[in-house]
Amino acid sequence: MRLTLRLTGVFALALILPSSGRAQLGITSTEQRIAFSPDWHGERFADGRPKVPDSVLERLKGATADQAWDVLGDARFRNQFEGDWKVINPGERLVGRVVTAVFMPRRPDVDAVIKANGKKEGRIGDENSWIIDILQPGDVLVVDLFGKIQDGTIVGDNLSTAIFAKSHNGLIVDGGVRDVTGIQQITGFQVYTRGFDPSALENVMLMGINVPIRIGHTTVMPGDVALGDPEGVTFIPAQLAEKVADDAEMDHLIDEWGHSMLREGKYTPGQIDSNWTPEMIHAFNQWAARKGSKLQLPEK
């Protein structure tokens, strides 16, 4: 408990202390974000968030929760999947780099400091609009609103439009949204939410942007990759995103080749469903290479 409180205090400190620039309110330092993502060795955003390449994000659109689960489980990440969502505008996989925000029940003395710092930095509007300002193309905004639905609606159709205009991507909120009819008109804007309510957001305060947050049973870090599918949302640590993409692609290739061989009558179902012979593995690798895949099964 002491460790948890200490870490929470470290990450929340940037929110309530005066800052020297607009981008600092509610955001942990670049050094802290780097320190808490030590296994990522690729490119980063200026704020320290891991920047998983667009090419990997594109490949992850073919991945499923099951495929991600296997990779994460092997790496001992057991708390990265959350189900039981209501989805607006379902369709293609929701895939993007995570920007986090956390709200807490409002405490007037703390909220007064937050609002004062926001005013000094030229922040306009309510606190739920501040988090939209930092979004970049490909980002998925992930909000911890502690499951609040009534008076816990993070956005309606206006702020949803603003999110999509900035990120060209979706929203995940452990809380509610409003103006669902309007949100449904934003083509391509996919929302995972706990529920709907006509009330506006109130009696909460923004305690952190791009800090570690809890979404249900998961721990989510800035720069994770959010993968939404019909089962729910998987939050993939940046350093494992390419591995998930590779394994998903290999699964699809194996299935495609196996189905092709069965249709052509070259192998029996028993052969396809059991351990492949060296000859089968070699034939598969040649076929995969002809398709342009760089993935290969190990040959003995």
Side-chain angles (χ1 to χ4, degrees), residues 21 41 80 118 133 155 159 166 200 214 227 243 270-271:
H41 305 294
Q80 301 306 125
D133 294 340
V155 296
L159 291 187
K166 292 277 287 186
R214 171 187 171 184
L227 170 64
K243 171 65 172 169
Q271 289 174 303

Side-chain angles (χ1 to χ4, degrees), residues 70-147:
D70 289 340
V71 173
L72 298 181
D74 289 345
R76 297 188 299 175
F77 285 81
R78 304 288 186 184
N79 301 302
Q80 301 306 125
F81 174 81
E82 180 68 10
D84 196 22
W85 299 95
K86 295 183 178 180
V87 183
I88 304 174
N89 297 330
E92 293 186 2
R93 295 280 191 270
L94 174 65
V95 177
R97 306 178 192 92
V98 167
V99 166
T100 65
V102 58
F103 286 79
M104 292 184 182
R106 182 176 182 271
R107 174 171 162 149
D109 54 348
V110 176
D111 198 30
V113 177
I114 296 169
K115 284 182 166 57
N117 285 340
K119 184 176 181 180
K120 290 177 184 177
E121 296 178 2
R123 303 266 178 182
I124 300 173
D126 295 327
E127 292 170 14
N128 56 330
S129 69
W130 298 356
I131 55 182
I132 300 173
D133 294 340
I134 68 168
L135 294 176
Q136 301 190 43
D139 286 341
V140 172
L141 179 58
V142 182
V143 182
D144 175 6
L145 241 169
F146 52 93

Side-chain angles (χ1 to χ4, degrees), residues 36-40 65 67-81 217-221 224 234-241 243-244:
F36 277 83
S37 53
D39 294 328
W40 174 252
Q67 290 164 333
W69 179 264
D70 289 340
V71 173
L72 298 181
D74 289 345
R76 297 188 299 175
F77 285 81
R78 304 288 186 184
N79 301 302
Q80 301 306 125
F81 174 81
H217 299 90
T218 70
T219 296
V220 185
M221 296 293 291
D224 281 354
T234 305
F235 297 100
I236 304 170
Q239 68 271 19
L240 295 176
K243 171 65 172 169
V244 173

Side-chain angles (χ1 to χ4, degrees), residues 2 35 53 75 95 104 109 130 152-154 193 200 205 217 225 227 238 247 261 283 291:
R2 289 181 180 176
V95 177
M104 292 184 182
D109 54 348
W130 298 356
T153 52
I154 186 66
T193 181
M205 58 186 180
H217 299 90
V225 175
L227 170 64
D247 281 21
M261 294 301 100
K291 286 182 67 70

Side-chain angles (χ1 to χ4, degrees), residues 19-291:
S19 58
S20 58
R22 175 178 172 80
Q24 295 305 307
L25 180 61
I27 304 178
T28 59
S29 70
T30 299
E31 292 75 16
Q32 287 168 336
R33 275 193 222 92
I34 293 172
F36 277 83
S37 53
D39 294 328
W40 174 252
H41 305 294
E43 186 179 357
R44 293 180 182 269
F45 289 100
D47 63 8
R49 269 194 309 148
K51 186 177 182 181
V52 174
D54 290 340
S55 59
V56 174
L57 298 182
E58 186 63 30
R59 293 173 59 213
L60 281 169
K61 291 180 180 179
T64 66
D66 291 344
Q67 290 164 333
W69 179 264
D70 289 340
V71 173
L72 298 181
D74 289 345
R76 297 188 299 175
F77 285 81
R78 304 288 186 184
N79 301 302
Q80 301 306 125
F81 174 81
E82 180 68 10
D84 196 22
W85 299 95
K86 295 183 178 180
V87 183
I88 304 174
N89 297 330
E92 293 186 2
R93 295 280 191 270
L94 174 65
V95 177
R97 306 178 192 92
V98 167
V99 166
T100 65
V102 58
F103 286 79
M104 292 184 182
R106 182 176 182 271
R107 174 171 162 149
D109 54 348
V110 176
D111 198 30
V113 177
I114 296 169
K115 284 182 166 57
N117 285 340
K119 184 176 181 180
K120 290 177 184 177
E121 296 178 2
R123 303 266 178 182
I124 300 173
D126 295 327
E127 292 170 14
N128 56 330
S129 69
W130 298 356
I131 55 182
I132 300 173
D133 294 340
I134 68 168
L135 294 176
Q136 301 190 43
D139 286 341
V140 172
L141 179 58
V142 182
V143 182
D144 175 6
L145 241 169
F146 52 93
K148 186 176 184 179
I149 298 174
Q150 184 177 3
D151 301 329
T153 52
I154 186 66
V155 296
D157 57 351
N158 285 338
L159 291 187
S160 293
T161 299
I163 291 172
F164 191 65
K166 292 277 287 186
S167 70
H168 313 298
N169 216 329
L171 165 70
I172 300 166
V173 54
D174 189 10
V177 299
R178 63 196 298 263
D179 298 329
V180 175
T181 299
I183 295 174
Q184 289 174 329
Q185 306 308 310
I186 308 173
T187 303
F189 183 61
Q190 197 169 149
V191 178
Y192 283 73
T193 181
R194 296 303 193 189
F196 316 126
D197 200 82
S199 60
L201 184 69
E202 60 179 310
N203 203 28
V204 297
M205 58 186 180
L206 176 63
M207 280 300 298
I209 302 174
N210 273 336
V211 298
I213 64 172
R214 171 187 171 184
I215 300 292
H217 299 90
T218 70
T219 296
V220 185
M221 296 293 291
D224 281 354
V225 175
L227 170 64
D229 78 347
E231 295 183 38
V233 180
T234 305
F235 297 100
I236 304 170
Q239 68 271 19
L240 295 176
E242 188 168 14
K243 171 65 172 169
V244 173
D246 285 347
D247 281 21
E249 181 180 329
M250 180 60 79
D251 283 351
H252 294 316
L253 289 171
I254 288 172
D255 287 344
E256 184 179 348
W257 185 79
H259 295 165
S260 176
M261 294 301 100
L262 290 172
R263 286 193 297 270
E264 295 175 16
K266 289 189 176 182
Y267 296 106
T268 67
Q271 289 174 303
I272 292 295
D273 287 340
S274 60
N275 292 330
W276 290 359
T277 65
E279 292 76 17
M280 293 172 70
I281 293 174
H282 182 69
F284 167 82
N285 284 340
Q286 288 185 317
W287 170 85
R290 288 195 299 270
K291 286 182 67 70

